[in-house]
Amino acid sequence: MSLADAVDHLSPERWEKANRLLIRKALAEFAHERLIAPEQDGERYVVRGDDGLTAYRFTAARRALDHWQVDADSITRTRDGAELPLAALDFFIELKQTLGLSDDILPVYLEEISSTLSGTCYKLTKPRVTSAELARSGFQAIETGMTEGHPCFVANNGRLGFGIHEYLSYAPETASPVRLVWLAAHRSRAAFTAGVGIDYESFVRDELGAETVERFEKRLTDQGLDPAEYLLIPVHPWQWWNKLTVTFAAEVARRHLVCLGEGDDEYLAQQSIRTFFNSSHPEKHYVKTALSVLNMGFMRGLSAAYMEATPAINDWLAQLIEGDPVLKSTGLSIIRERAAVGYRHLEYEQATDRYSPYRKMLAALWRESPVPSLREGESLATMASLVHVDDEGASFAGALIERSGLTPTEWLRHYLRAYFTPLLHSFYAYDLVFMPHGENVILVLEDGVVRRAIYKDIAEEIAVMDPDAVLPPEVRRIRVEVPEDTKLLSIFTDVFDCFFRFLAANLATEGILEEDDFWRTVAEVTREYQASAPELAERFRQYDMFAPEFALSCLNRLQLRNNKQMVDLADPSGALQLVGNLENPIAGL
């Protein structure tokens, strides 16, 4: 590729469209989070810049959960009555004070916006695939076919650290095959932990193949090193080229780390960007790697210390699901993080606290693939795909409903029983919460119907909110203290506001399912679950799913306040940005 070819996607037409789409999302989500207060201006709404002279006007539909559905084509920008082109970077500068963007945060946020826009331009060059075609596609075609990213975050594809060459090589939407770099890490500084019944030698041999393991061992013996003194660690190529070769130079020089080269298998980056699906052998494990790239409010590293307990936490949860008749009846499963390896840089550890990005530069974990669990006729799709909308405005969820032959409410009921009922039961029976957003859930489909759900990203994302829960010592890390009045936000915010809000709006816009019918079905499935568990009646009263309203927890406000670390990891609930309340769409149903 020539120097000029690398930026072919950045044409004036695509840039204009990407800016319009991003400003549409910013107006919608910032209005939802009450950062801006659009005023009625005839049949349109108006939002004024900090100078009082600049104005954005648009038409929008208002939906449940104070959801703003802004018409992208209707947006205009004027200053003193003169029309100006739409430009996202200008938008954030013009509303800097309104949005609370500090002088420190603003330029970094603008860089994340620039990267997000550039990614949109690239996606606009791809062949147009309709949602109907996608609904009949394979798991990885759906994964790489997503065009939006997180539905709430405006700067949702920052990936600061990737240049264009690396974007084209490692972004999930480019679907470029990737070979992982393998390092040998001296056992004095590295640790491998695994779930029950897994030993290091046979696990690595199964993942890499005997031939590759022997090739790597020969590289060590050729340097006079003993392979028995080392553990193998898979590394994201970007991390090797951009971080470890320099930041870990001492470790390489002293042969605490030895680069062995690339493995033979090809992988595809997933929506989470640092997790890879083995496309050469889909039945093999996913590999999740440390990646010191700033994306959506966090440096995407992996902590060596956290890795040690990861397999044990996964085994504990798998056992809990296996032993619970309600969870079993929904078909819920998890793809376990079966093994993990981490490397501890002793000098950086002495210089930092346990949350520092410097402690998260070299670790990896292996997560089960969902592929071997499929039965005849079943296929997979990331749940994020349900809110994907194609160029013609047709949603992937709508295409699945069409394919299923079911009525929209019947289809929705199947989906809710598979995805939502397990979340309710985990909360009420165990005080157990997940981070169940679209990218963390895989749906098992049969002819467009959701048959069951698979939860993932377990060890880093689950929490037990009962301070008195009896947990095995190695699992105690997942216990968190959360104020009583915010516990149910794990459902109201993460599920209702951050996912169902978009799904309901899309289906209503397409004329597939009215919003009232959507939320009535959610209420019915909730009551159906509650009726099946009378022993939890007191808990249902204490944490009321049908309360008239709940606190509005704002995600963009977190990122606008600190886009390098959105949440204090030592006190996640203390970081919540709560601004007023939302009306509960299932109250009174």
Side-chain angles (χ1 to χ4, degrees):
M1 176 186 295
S2 77
L3 294 173
D5 290 344
V7 290
D8 267 356
H9 60 292
L10 298 176
S11 71
E13 299 75 25
R14 282 192 282 269
W15 187 253
E16 186 183 342
K17 183 168 183 181
N19 276 261
R20 183 169 288 278
L21 291 173
L22 190 133
I23 290 172
R24 183 214 67 76
K25 185 171 186 179
L27 289 167
E29 289 307 298
F30 293 163
H32 173 71
E33 295 193 12
R34 300 167 190 176
L35 280 155
I36 57 177
E39 296 164 19
Q40 199 82 45
D41 183 29
E43 291 185 0
R44 292 156 70 76
Y45 290 95
V46 62
V47 169
R48 299 189 190 281
D50 297 335
D51 63 2
L53 302 173
T54 308
Y56 290 83
R57 288 182 172 82
F58 55 91
T59 58
R62 304 278 300 273
R63 298 194 177 277
L65 290 171
D66 203 14
H67 181 66
W68 288 73
Q69 207 153 23
V70 174
D71 176 5
D73 292 335
S74 73
I75 304 169
T76 60
R77 173 187 174 219
T78 58
R79 184 174 300 133
D80 255 355
E83 191 146 340
L84 296 169
L86 292 185
L89 299 186
D90 287 341
F91 174 86
F92 294 101
I93 292 165
E94 288 162 359
L95 280 97
K96 176 189 164 185
Q97 288 163 296
T98 302
L99 299 175
L101 278 161
S102 70
D103 291 344
D104 287 346
I105 297 294
L106 178 60
V108 184
Y109 192 76
L110 292 181
E111 190 180 355
E112 290 183 279
I113 291 294
S114 298
S115 176
T116 300
L117 290 167
S118 175
T120 302
C121 288
Y122 175 81
K123 291 169 195 170
L124 290 170
T125 68
K126 293 175 76 173
R128 296 184 172 196
V129 179
T130 66
S131 286
E133 290 172 275
L134 214 52
R136 296 179 181 276
S137 299
F139 183 30
Q140 290 307 296
I142 295 167
E143 186 76 18
T144 57
M146 299 299 93
T147 53
E148 180 42 51
H150 196 292
C152 299
F153 284 103
V154 175
N156 64 10
N157 276 315
R159 300 160 180 175
L160 298 193
F162 278 6
I164 188 61
H165 181 268
E166 291 135 338
Y167 171 83
L168 295 171
S169 302
Y170 308 129
E173 59 269 21
T174 65
S176 301
V178 176
R179 293 192 178 191
L180 299 178
V181 174
W182 286 82
L183 304 185
H186 199 270
R187 286 176 183 261
S188 62
R189 294 180 174 221
F192 175 87
T193 50
V196 177
I198 291 177
D199 72 274
Y200 171 76
E201 273 75 17
S202 49
F203 182 80
V204 166
R205 213 161 272 266
D206 286 346
E207 279 299 300
L208 279 167
E211 216 174 283
T212 306
V213 172
E214 281 156 28
R215 183 171 85 235
F216 287 168
E217 287 181 347
K218 185 174 185 306
R219 292 214 175 132
L220 290 170
T221 53
D222 285 351
Q223 296 178 54
L225 302 170
D226 179 2
E229 291 181 6
Y230 289 85
L231 295 170
L232 300 184
I233 300 187
V235 172
H236 194 297
W238 185 95
Q239 195 75 351
W240 171 248
W241 288 113
N242 292 278
K243 281 292 171 189
L244 303 178
T245 49
V246 176
T247 310
F248 279 48
E251 308 305 282
V252 175
R254 293 185 289 191
R255 297 296 180 261
H256 291 143
L257 288 176
V258 181
C259 184
L260 303 170
E262 293 181 339
D264 295 332
D265 287 355
E266 291 189 337
Y267 291 83
L268 282 175
Q270 302 296 281
Q271 286 290 316
S272 62
I273 204 161
R274 56 182 167 158
T275 302
F276 290 97
F277 177 85
N278 191 321
S279 49
S280 299
H281 298 280
E283 74 286 353
K284 285 189 184 180
H285 290 77
Y286 287 95
V287 181
K288 185 174 183 177
T289 56
L291 184 63
S292 300
V293 163
L294 187 70
N295 196 41
M296 247 168 51
F298 286 105
M299 192 68 79
R300 297 289 161 174
L302 271 188
S303 158
Y306 253 52
M307 288 303 97
E308 289 186 30
T310 288
I313 292 168
N314 279 262
D315 282 349
W316 171 82
L317 182 60
Q319 211 170 350
L320 184 147
I321 292 169
E322 187 63 33
D324 185 284
V326 177
L327 296 177
K328 283 284 280 186
S329 72
T330 65
L332 177 72
S333 62
I334 61 169
I335 41 178
R336 286 177 294 177
E337 289 144 4
R338 298 295 278 142
V341 62
Y343 185 88
R344 303 178 70 165
H345 192 299
L346 303 184
E347 292 76 14
Y348 286 132
E349 285 196 6
Q350 286 173 28
T352 58
D353 68 25
R354 67 194 176 106
Y355 299 112
S356 168
Y358 283 95
R359 296 192 182 201
K360 299 177 182 179
M361 289 191 183
L362 185 49
L365 63 80
W366 287 269
R367 180 187 291 143
E368 290 170 318
S369 167
V371 172
S373 71
L374 291 181
R375 301 170 198 133
E376 188 69 35
E378 291 182 336
S379 61
L380 300 166
T382 177
M383 193 175 85
S385 63
L386 293 189
V387 294
H388 168 74
V389 176
D390 69 17
D391 286 329
E392 303 302 313
S395 71
F396 183 75
L400 291 180
I401 293 169
E402 175 74 22
R403 189 178 171 199
S404 74
L406 300 176
T407 66
T409 47
E410 281 177 309
W411 183 92
L412 182 60
R413 197 170 277 112
H414 278 281
Y415 161 62
L416 293 171
R417 284 172 180 158
Y419 163 68
F420 185 53
T421 300
L423 293 174
L424 290 172
H425 185 65
S426 298
F427 177 86
Y428 285 109
Y430 302 107
D431 247 331
L432 169 67
V433 295
F434 296 83
M435 184 65 75
H437 55 65
E439 192 275 310
N440 269 354
V441 179
I442 296 169
L443 301 176
V444 180
L445 304 167
E446 186 178 21
D447 296 325
V449 183
V450 179
R451 293 297 181 200
R452 52 199 168 89
I454 302 169
Y455 295 170
K456 69 180 183 72
D457 221 350
I458 300 305
E460 284 198 291
E461 301 281 26
I462 67 168
V464 172
M465 301 186 296
D466 176 3
D468 303 317
V470 179
L471 299 171
E474 62 273 28
V475 176
R476 283 179 192 151
R477 175 184 99 204
I478 67 172
R479 182 165 37 219
V480 296
E481 283 195 41
V482 176
E484 284 295 305
D485 60 349
T486 63
K487 279 187 175 182
L488 206 45
L489 290 183
S490 63
I491 303 282
F492 285 143
T493 299
D494 297 347
V495 182
F496 280 25
D497 193 32
C498 293
F499 199 79
F500 287 176
R501 171 164 67 94
F502 299 94
L503 182 57
N506 290 348
L507 294 175
T509 302
E510 288 183 87
I512 292 171
L513 183 65
E514 290 301 320
E515 267 196 300
D516 287 351
D517 293 330
F518 181 98
W519 290 109
R520 191 175 297 107
T521 309
V522 173
E524 285 167 8
V525 171
T526 304
R527 290 199 190 282
E528 174 187 270
Y529 161 66
Q530 292 185 345
S532 76
E535 70 282 5
L536 295 170
E538 185 47 48
R539 297 263 301 161
F540 298 148
R541 269 192 297 277
Q542 185 181 359
Y543 303 106
D544 184 7
M545 278 298 300
F546 296 91
E549 53 186 24
F550 58 85
L552 168 60
S553 181
C554 302
L555 300 188
N556 283 287
R557 283 177 181 265
L558 292 173
Q559 194 178 12
L560 292 164
R561 183 182 62 181
N562 184 349
N563 51 353
K564 293 181 181 166
Q565 185 167 311
M566 280 194 317
V567 174
D568 177 358
L569 298 172
D571 179 23
S573 64
L576 294 178
Q577 287 272 303
L578 303 176
V579 182
N581 292 321
L582 290 172
E583 285 181 23
N584 181 358
I586 66 169
L589 293 180

PDB file of all heavy atoms in Angstrom, residues 189 344-354 358-359:
ATOM      1  N   ARG A 189       9.220 -14.386  36.821  1.00  0.00           N
ATOM      2  CA  ARG A 189       8.393 -13.179  36.750  1.00  0.00           C
ATOM      3  C   ARG A 189       7.028 -13.432  36.108  1.00  0.00           C
ATOM      4  O   ARG A 189       6.234 -12.502  36.007  1.00  0.00           O
ATOM      5  CB  ARG A 189       9.130 -12.092  35.957  1.00  0.00           C
ATOM      6  CG  ARG A 189      10.379 -11.633  36.678  1.00  0.00           C
ATOM      7  CD  ARG A 189      11.146 -10.573  35.937  1.00  0.00           C
ATOM      8  NE  ARG A 189      12.248 -10.095  36.788  1.00  0.00           N
ATOM      9  CZ  ARG A 189      12.602  -8.836  36.901  1.00  0.00           C
ATOM     10  NH1 ARG A 189      11.948  -7.904  36.245  1.00  0.00           N
ATOM     11  NH2 ARG A 189      13.604  -8.494  37.679  1.00  0.00           N
ATOM     12  N   ARG A 344       5.019 -10.006  35.420  1.00  0.00           N
ATOM     13  CA  ARG A 344       5.147  -8.894  36.370  1.00  0.00           C
ATOM     14  C   ARG A 344       6.502  -8.200  36.185  1.00  0.00           C
ATOM     15  O   ARG A 344       7.548  -8.809  36.363  1.00  0.00           O
ATOM     16  CB  ARG A 344       5.004  -9.410  37.793  1.00  0.00           C
ATOM     17  CG  ARG A 344       3.672 -10.128  37.988  1.00  0.00           C
ATOM     18  CD  ARG A 344       3.516 -10.700  39.366  1.00  0.00           C
ATOM     19  NE  ARG A 344       3.355  -9.636  40.349  1.00  0.00           N
ATOM     20  CZ  ARG A 344       2.921  -9.845  41.584  1.00  0.00           C
ATOM     21  NH1 ARG A 344       2.615 -11.059  41.996  1.00  0.00           N
ATOM     22  NH2 ARG A 344       2.795  -8.845  42.422  1.00  0.00           N
ATOM     23  N   HIS A 345       6.434  -6.946  35.800  1.00  0.00           N
ATOM     24  CA  HIS A 345       7.649  -6.133  35.678  1.00  0.00           C
ATOM     25  C   HIS A 345       7.906  -5.542  37.060  1.00  0.00           C
ATOM     26  O   HIS A 345       7.231  -4.625  37.505  1.00  0.00           O
ATOM     27  CB  HIS A 345       7.423  -5.028  34.636  1.00  0.00           C
ATOM     28  CG  HIS A 345       8.678  -4.324  34.236  1.00  0.00           C
ATOM     29  ND1 HIS A 345       9.463  -3.623  35.131  1.00  0.00           N
ATOM     30  CD2 HIS A 345       9.289  -4.220  33.022  1.00  0.00           C
ATOM     31  CE1 HIS A 345      10.500  -3.108  34.495  1.00  0.00           C
ATOM     32  NE2 HIS A 345      10.416  -3.456  33.210  1.00  0.00           N
ATOM     33  N   LEU A 346       8.891  -6.078  37.758  1.00  0.00           N
ATOM     34  CA  LEU A 346       9.064  -5.779  39.181  1.00  0.00           C
ATOM     35  C   LEU A 346       9.353  -4.298  39.444  1.00  0.00           C
ATOM     36  O   LEU A 346       8.872  -3.731  40.426  1.00  0.00           O
ATOM     37  CB  LEU A 346      10.178  -6.656  39.770  1.00  0.00           C
ATOM     38  CG  LEU A 346       9.949  -8.177  39.610  1.00  0.00           C
ATOM     39  CD1 LEU A 346      11.054  -8.960  40.308  1.00  0.00           C
ATOM     40  CD2 LEU A 346       8.590  -8.601  40.122  1.00  0.00           C
ATOM     41  N   GLU A 347      10.130  -3.675  38.548  1.00  0.00           N
ATOM     42  CA  GLU A 347      10.480  -2.269  38.778  1.00  0.00           C
ATOM     43  C   GLU A 347       9.261  -1.351  38.598  1.00  0.00           C
ATOM     44  O   GLU A 347       9.019  -0.448  39.401  1.00  0.00           O
ATOM     45  CB  GLU A 347      11.617  -1.836  37.838  1.00  0.00           C
ATOM     46  CG  GLU A 347      12.956  -2.511  38.135  1.00  0.00           C
ATOM     47  CD  GLU A 347      13.052  -3.956  37.669  1.00  0.00           C
ATOM     48  OE1 GLU A 347      12.184  -4.394  36.879  1.00  0.00           O
ATOM     49  OE2 GLU A 347      13.979  -4.664  38.090  1.00  0.00           O
ATOM     50  N   TYR A 348       8.468  -1.587  37.555  1.00  0.00           N
ATOM     51  CA  TYR A 348       7.254  -0.768  37.375  1.00  0.00           C
ATOM     52  C   TYR A 348       6.279  -1.000  38.531  1.00  0.00           C
ATOM     53  O   TYR A 348       5.562  -0.082  38.937  1.00  0.00           O
ATOM     54  CB  TYR A 348       6.571  -1.067  36.036  1.00  0.00           C
ATOM     55  CG  TYR A 348       7.308  -0.491  34.841  1.00  0.00           C
ATOM     56  CD1 TYR A 348       7.567  -1.267  33.715  1.00  0.00           C
ATOM     57  CD2 TYR A 348       7.744   0.832  34.834  1.00  0.00           C
ATOM     58  CE1 TYR A 348       8.252  -0.741  32.615  1.00  0.00           C
ATOM     59  CE2 TYR A 348       8.419   1.359  33.749  1.00  0.00           C
ATOM     60  CZ  TYR A 348       8.678   0.567  32.643  1.00  0.00           C
ATOM     61  OH  TYR A 348       9.358   1.086  31.564  1.00  0.00           O
ATOM     62  N   GLU A 349       6.256  -2.224  39.044  1.00  0.00           N
ATOM     63  CA  GLU A 349       5.367  -2.503  40.188  1.00  0.00           C
ATOM     64  C   GLU A 349       5.779  -1.677  41.413  1.00  0.00           C
ATOM     65  O   GLU A 349       4.932  -1.179  42.146  1.00  0.00           O
ATOM     66  CB  GLU A 349       5.361  -3.994  40.522  1.00  0.00           C
ATOM     67  CG  GLU A 349       4.546  -4.803  39.524  1.00  0.00           C
ATOM     68  CD  GLU A 349       4.206  -6.194  40.028  1.00  0.00           C
ATOM     69  OE1 GLU A 349       4.489  -6.515  41.199  1.00  0.00           O
ATOM     70  OE2 GLU A 349       3.641  -6.970  39.233  1.00  0.00           O
ATOM     71  N   GLN A 350       7.086  -1.544  41.617  1.00  0.00           N
ATOM     72  CA  GLN A 350       7.558  -0.743  42.757  1.00  0.00           C
ATOM     73  C   GLN A 350       7.208   0.732  42.586  1.00  0.00           C
ATOM     74  O   GLN A 350       7.025   1.458  43.557  1.00  0.00           O
ATOM     75  CB  GLN A 350       9.077  -0.886  42.905  1.00  0.00           C
ATOM     76  CG  GLN A 350       9.511  -2.229  43.485  1.00  0.00           C
ATOM     77  CD  GLN A 350      11.030  -2.378  43.448  1.00  0.00           C
ATOM     78  OE1 GLN A 350      11.760  -1.394  43.499  1.00  0.00           O
ATOM     79  NE2 GLN A 350      11.505  -3.612  43.357  1.00  0.00           N
ATOM     80  N   ALA A 351       7.083   1.156  41.334  1.00  0.00           N
ATOM     81  CA  ALA A 351       6.901   2.587  41.052  1.00  0.00           C
ATOM     82  C   ALA A 351       5.436   3.008  40.953  1.00  0.00           C
ATOM     83  O   ALA A 351       5.146   4.196  40.828  1.00  0.00           O
ATOM     84  CB  ALA A 351       7.611   2.941  39.738  1.00  0.00           C
ATOM     85  N   THR A 352       4.494   2.042  40.994  1.00  0.00           N
ATOM     86  CA  THR A 352       3.089   2.368  40.694  1.00  0.00           C
ATOM     87  C   THR A 352       2.135   1.714  41.688  1.00  0.00           C
ATOM     88  O   THR A 352       2.502   0.794  42.412  1.00  0.00           O
ATOM     89  CB  THR A 352       2.709   1.856  39.289  1.00  0.00           C
ATOM     90  OG1 THR A 352       2.929   0.431  39.252  1.00  0.00           O
ATOM     91  CG2 THR A 352       3.515   2.525  38.198  1.00  0.00           C
ATOM     92  N   ASP A 353       0.862   2.187  41.649  1.00  0.00           N
ATOM     93  CA  ASP A 353      -0.167   1.486  42.429  1.00  0.00           C
ATOM     94  C   ASP A 353      -0.769   0.378  41.550  1.00  0.00           C
ATOM     95  O   ASP A 353      -0.472   0.274  40.371  1.00  0.00           O
ATOM     96  CB  ASP A 353      -1.252   2.451  42.926  1.00  0.00           C
ATOM     97  CG  ASP A 353      -2.113   3.015  41.796  1.00  0.00           C
ATOM     98  OD1 ASP A 353      -2.237   2.369  40.727  1.00  0.00           O
ATOM     99  OD2 ASP A 353      -2.681   4.109  41.969  1.00  0.00           O
ATOM    100  N   ARG A 354      -1.641  -0.438  42.155  1.00  0.00           N
ATOM    101  CA  ARG A 354      -2.081  -1.640  41.448  1.00  0.00           C
ATOM    102  C   ARG A 354      -3.001  -1.361  40.264  1.00  0.00           C
ATOM    103  O   ARG A 354      -3.278  -2.250  39.477  1.00  0.00           O
ATOM    104  CB  ARG A 354      -2.751  -2.616  42.420  1.00  0.00           C
ATOM    105  CG  ARG A 354      -4.058  -2.174  43.029  1.00  0.00           C
ATOM    106  CD  ARG A 354      -4.418  -3.071  44.203  1.00  0.00           C
ATOM    107  NE  ARG A 354      -5.611  -2.640  44.896  1.00  0.00           N
ATOM    108  CZ  ARG A 354      -6.787  -3.252  44.816  1.00  0.00           C
ATOM    109  NH1 ARG A 354      -6.916  -4.328  44.085  1.00  0.00           N
ATOM    110  NH2 ARG A 354      -7.827  -2.802  45.487  1.00  0.00           N
ATOM    111  N   TYR A 358       0.885   0.737  33.734  1.00  0.00           N
ATOM    112  CA  TYR A 358       2.209   0.097  33.630  1.00  0.00           C
ATOM    113  C   TYR A 358       2.198  -1.343  34.141  1.00  0.00           C
ATOM    114  O   TYR A 358       3.105  -2.109  33.850  1.00  0.00           O
ATOM    115  CB  TYR A 358       3.263   0.916  34.386  1.00  0.00           C
ATOM    116  CG  TYR A 358       3.696   2.135  33.629  1.00  0.00           C
ATOM    117  CD1 TYR A 358       3.104   3.377  33.876  1.00  0.00           C
ATOM    118  CD2 TYR A 358       4.675   2.066  32.645  1.00  0.00           C
ATOM    119  CE1 TYR A 358       3.483   4.513  33.169  1.00  0.00           C
ATOM    120  CE2 TYR A 358       5.065   3.186  31.938  1.00  0.00           C
ATOM    121  CZ  TYR A 358       4.469   4.401  32.199  1.00  0.00           C
ATOM    122  OH  TYR A 358       4.845   5.516  31.482  1.00  0.00           O
ATOM    123  N   ARG A 359       1.188  -1.687  34.905  1.00  0.00           N
ATOM    124  CA  ARG A 359       1.076  -3.064  35.405  1.00  0.00           C
ATOM    125  C   ARG A 359       0.206  -3.928  34.502  1.00  0.00           C
ATOM    126  O   ARG A 359      -0.092  -5.069  34.842  1.00  0.00           O
ATOM    127  CB  ARG A 359       0.485  -3.063  36.818  1.00  0.00           C
ATOM    128  CG  ARG A 359       1.370  -2.380  37.840  1.00  0.00           C
ATOM    129  CD  ARG A 359       0.871  -2.685  39.222  1.00  0.00           C
ATOM    130  NE  ARG A 359       1.646  -2.019  40.249  1.00  0.00           N
ATOM    131  CZ  ARG A 359       1.689  -2.418  41.509  1.00  0.00           C
ATOM    132  NH1 ARG A 359       1.003  -3.465  41.903  1.00  0.00           N
ATOM    133  NH2 ARG A 359       2.410  -1.755  42.399  1.00  0.00           N
TER     134      ARG A 359
END
